[in-house]
């Protein structure tokens, strides 16, 4: 044949798109052209492929070579297309003979050549060294998740090292290859590639226990409500009140990640250059307040995920909230509502998941001692107003629970430890179970008609909420978020319907 068609994958954001690698060998002056919006790394594959073919014991074909990476409007990057390009050249030049067909022994030819049926099921990705050896590729988990999602019957061929990570995806056949010659032998039937053996599923790392926090019973209760419903939380209090300690203990209260969620989180981390094994513990990210907008939401010439995507299915903790750049904080508004990030560039649009739980902390004033019973505040009213004004009203509207923490009394520090995380987590798991059984999502994700259906109030509760919204001058968004929190409080009690007492507790978490 003079034309070979193989399948691979191109990464765009957190998606692995199907790419047809079409290799044509025709007459004319020798030339090697790669088309289909390749970047410099893909164009340089010509030299890697040439050396790899020769050093693997094959002949580099003479003639005019054209490789088309389809679709042509999808940018292609990295060296993962080396393997399908090299195999396409070997097939187009006839150097890979077809194996004996299954029907030869019985005298009846098969409907299609065996090699063609093998090729139709293969998805190939791998960068070639000049010796013909395969080197690991970027984000194998993401490639495997994409193949499992839209081609579950396909067979994914990856370099050793990458294949063991991709094998974590259930229901997908992944083959491990060490060289171009190994893959060529598999296609011809001379030697089958081994199935990739997934690495052992790692144990979740230990997390701090809630019993380490002394005092602060209201904050402990708010943390339990936040964990039970997936709600965002803002804590305002003086230095040393325990804001950071509480935030660090939230992942230990959350339900463990499902296998799919853990794989998604690990795949996004790999895109950002963080090689980490999937874990059942929700991720916890606590970036410094000096980070930029691209570092928070993602970006770059080749868009990469930011901190909010690295916190996907986990917790994003922003300590010293007013110290963050105002423009950086405002970039959180849309992801908090939609659970995703859309980054637009002139040549591409990248989409990253960002379903995270926001926990923020701040002092009541620049010096931190405003309202403290034993320390005098040195800030003027204008300084306090400017400090609070660094966080916009629309962003505060999107935070479900607002909590003011008092300073910890000395006698509380010497008292017995509080309730431990495992006991609180049991209540959180039971509460989440009620939510999933009723609506198949946490209460924080309720919207539209779901709020009317699952957060219906009796007359006394409705009147109490109406009065509270007038007093707080709350927007419709604040009202909806208060209803979601009230629904979670009711679920923690095991109550089927919302009552005035649930609304009253929820409103307390909106008082400024």
């Amino acid at each position: 044949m003079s034309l070979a068609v193989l399948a691979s994958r191109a990464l765009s954001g957190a998606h692995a798109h199907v790419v047809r690698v079409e290799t044509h060998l025709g007459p004319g002056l020798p030339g090697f052209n790669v088309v289909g919006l390749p970047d410099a790394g893909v164009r340089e594959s010509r030299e890697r492929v040439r050396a790899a073919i020769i050093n693997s014991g094959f002949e580099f074909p003479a003639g005019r070579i054209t490789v088309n990476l389809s679709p042509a409007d999808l940018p292609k990057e990295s060296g993962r297309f080396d393997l399908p390009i090299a195999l396409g050249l070997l097939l187009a030049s006839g150097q890979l003979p077809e194996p004996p067909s299954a029907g030869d022994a019985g005298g009846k030819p098969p409907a299609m050549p065996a090699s063609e049926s093998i090729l139709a099921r293969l998805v190939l990705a791998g960068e070639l060294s000049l010796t013909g050896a395969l080197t690991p590729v970027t984000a194998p988990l993401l490639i495997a998740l994409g193949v499992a999602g839209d081609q579950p019957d396909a067979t994914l061929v990856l370099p050793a090292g990458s294949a063991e990570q991709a094998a974590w995806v259930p229901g997908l056949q992944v083959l491990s290859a060490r060289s171009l010659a190994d893959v060529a032998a598999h296609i011809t039937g001379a030697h089958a590639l081994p199935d990739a053996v997934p690495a052992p599923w790692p144990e979740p790392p230990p997390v701090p226990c809630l019993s380490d926090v002394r005092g602060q019973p209201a904050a402990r209760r708010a943390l339990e409500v936040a964990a039970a419903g997936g709600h965002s939380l803002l804590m305002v209090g003086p230095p040393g009140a325990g804001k950071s300690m509480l935030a660090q203990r939230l992942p230990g209260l959350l339900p463990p990640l499902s296998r799919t969620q853990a794989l998604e989180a690990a795949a996004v981390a790999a895109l950002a250059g963080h090689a980490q094994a999937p874990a059942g513990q929700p991720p916890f990210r606590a970036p410094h307040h000096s980070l930029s907008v691209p570092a928070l939401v993602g970006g770059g010439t080749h868009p990469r995920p930011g901190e909010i995507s690295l916190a996907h299915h986990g917790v994003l903790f922003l300590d010293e909230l007013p110290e963050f750049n105002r423009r950086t904080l405002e970039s959180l508004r849309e992801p908090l509502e939609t659970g995703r990030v859309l980054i637009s560039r002139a040549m591409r649009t990248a989409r990253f998941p960002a379903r995270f739980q926001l926990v923020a902390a701040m002092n009541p004033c620049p010096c931190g001692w405003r309202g403290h019973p034993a320390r005098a505040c040195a800030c003027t009213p204008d300084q306090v107003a400017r400090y609070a004004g660094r966080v916009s009203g629309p962003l505060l509207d999107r935070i479900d629970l607002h909590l003011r923490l008092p300073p910890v009394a000395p006698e509380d520090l010497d008292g017995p430890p509080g309730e431990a995380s495992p006991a609180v987590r049991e209540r959180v798991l039971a509460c989440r179970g009620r939510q999933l059984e009723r609506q198949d999502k946490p209460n924080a994700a309720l919207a539209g008609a779901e709020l009317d259906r699952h957060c219906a109030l009796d007359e006394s509760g409705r009147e109490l909420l109406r009065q509270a919204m007038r007093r707080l001058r709350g927007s419709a968004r604040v009202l909806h978020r208060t209803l979601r929190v009230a629904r979670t409080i009711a679920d923690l009690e095991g109550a089927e319907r919302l009552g005035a007492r649930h609304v009253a507790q929820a409103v307390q978490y909106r008082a400024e």
Side-chain angles (χ1 to χ4, degrees):
M1 66 175 73
S2 60
L3 176 66
V5 179
L6 297 170
S8 188
R9 291 279 167 155
L11 300 183
S12 178
H15 298 271
H17 297 276
V18 179
V19 172
R20 282 166 51 91
V21 182
E22 303 170 345
T23 306
H24 180 261
L25 179 59
L29 293 174
F32 194 165
N33 296 309
V34 181
V35 298
L37 215 56
D39 72 350
V42 180
R43 289 193 297 270
E44 291 171 354
S45 67
R46 296 174 297 188
E47 305 307 321
R48 293 192 298 270
V49 167
R50 185 191 305 271
I53 286 178
I54 295 172
N55 290 322
S56 297
F58 299 100
E59 293 183 3
F60 189 80
R64 187 169 185 82
I65 301 168
T66 303
V67 177
N68 178 40
L69 305 177
S70 175
D73 60 346
L74 178 67
K76 320 297 189 308
E77 46 84 23
S78 89
R80 75 175 63 87
F81 300 104
D82 289 1
L83 178 59
I85 290 174
L87 288 173
L89 278 175
L90 297 178
L91 289 165
S93 61
Q95 297 186 65
L96 293 186
E98 295 179 3
S101 63
D104 286 350
K108 182 179 179 181
M112 69 167 58
S115 62
E116 188 174 332
S117 62
I118 291 175
L119 295 177
R121 296 194 302 269
L122 291 183
V123 177
L124 303 139
E127 181 178 335
L128 288 169
S129 70
L130 299 184
T131 64
L134 286 168
T135 60
V137 297
T138 303
L141 261 180
L142 193 58
I143 295 173
L145 288 170
V147 174
D150 51 36
Q151 290 180 270
D153 295 332
T155 299
L156 179 61
V157 179
L158 290 174
S162 297
E164 287 70 21
Q165 299 178 43
W168 272 317
V169 177
L172 179 66
Q173 184 181 18
V174 183
L175 303 181
S176 176
R178 296 190 176 276
S179 67
L180 173 62
D182 288 346
V183 183
H186 176 81
I187 290 177
T188 60
H191 185 272
L193 290 172
D195 289 328
V197 178
W201 193 260
E203 291 293 328
V207 293
C209 184
L210 192 59
S211 62
D212 298 334
V213 180
R214 305 298 173 95
Q216 301 293 11
R220 296 168 62 94
R221 169 64 175 177
L223 202 67
E224 180 178 344
V225 172
H231 302 290
S232 51
L233 170 66
L234 170 65
M235 295 178 283
V236 182
K243 303 184 292 295
S244 298
M245 286 188 68
L246 287 162
Q248 292 164 0
R249 282 147 183 79
L250 178 57
L253 307 183
L254 296 174
L257 299 184
S258 67
R259 191 177 187 91
T260 300
Q261 290 173 332
L263 290 172
E264 289 177 358
V268 172
L271 277 178
H274 304 293
Q276 65 183 45
Q281 189 69 42
F284 180 82
R285 304 293 299 184
H288 191 261
H289 59 75
S290 62
L291 88 168
S292 62
V293 174
L296 182 65
V297 302
T301 304
H302 298 292
R304 303 177 72 181
E307 288 290 338
I308 61 176
S309 293
L310 295 175
H312 184 52
H313 296 313
V315 177
L316 176 69
F317 177 47
L318 301 183
D319 199 6
E320 304 296 342
L321 187 67
E323 301 299 334
F324 284 80
N325 182 275
R326 176 69 175 260
R327 182 167 168 263
T328 301
L329 290 180
E330 292 305 296
S331 65
L332 287 171
R333 287 161 57 173
E334 183 180 355
L336 280 172
E337 295 285 347
T338 63
R340 61 182 175 84
V341 176
L342 191 65
I343 300 173
S344 297
R345 294 291 183 266
M347 297 294 293
R348 65 172 68 183
T349 298
R351 183 179 287 106
F352 297 105
R355 186 66 67 183
F356 62 95
Q357 192 167 347
L358 175 64
V359 178
M362 59 182 286
N363 295 327
C365 65
C367 75
W369 305 114
R370 182 169 179 258
H372 196 281
R375 297 287 296 269
C377 174
C379 304
T380 66
D382 286 345
Q383 289 175 325
V384 174
R386 283 196 301 270
Y387 179 76
R390 295 177 187 175
V391 185
S392 70
L395 178 60
L396 291 174
D397 273 1
R398 288 168 167 81
I399 300 178
D400 299 341
L401 304 172
H402 296 194
L403 182 68
R404 289 193 174 272
L405 274 68
V408 181
E411 55 270 21
D412 290 335
L413 295 175
D414 296 331
E419 192 175 20
S421 292
V424 179
R425 192 185 195 193
E426 287 299 319
R427 295 196 295 270
V428 169
L429 291 175
C431 183
R432 282 287 185 103
R434 297 185 189 101
Q435 297 167 43
L436 295 178
E437 182 179 356
R438 181 179 61 239
Q439 67 225 12
D440 198 32
K441 62 177 68 173
N443 288 333
L446 292 175
E450 296 173 326
L451 281 170
D452 298 331
R453 185 163 59 252
H454 301 303
C455 302
L457 292 169
D458 56 22
E459 186 57 37
S460 60
R462 191 176 299 109
E463 179 59 27
L464 176 61
L465 182 61
R466 190 180 299 116
Q467 294 177 5
M469 291 300 104
R470 280 199 297 265
R471 180 174 59 85
L472 296 174
R473 300 177 182 177
S475 64
R477 181 181 289 113
V478 171
L479 185 146
H480 290 163
R481 292 184 178 275
T482 303
L483 278 175
R484 294 169 189 153
V485 173
R487 179 68 267 177
T488 299
I489 294 171
D491 287 337
L492 281 170
E493 293 182 2
E496 292 294 329
R497 289 186 58 83
L498 295 183
R501 69 180 186 279
H502 307 129
V503 174
Q505 292 182 53
V507 168
Q508 289 178 355
Y509 291 125
R510 297 300 312 192
E512 300 295 335

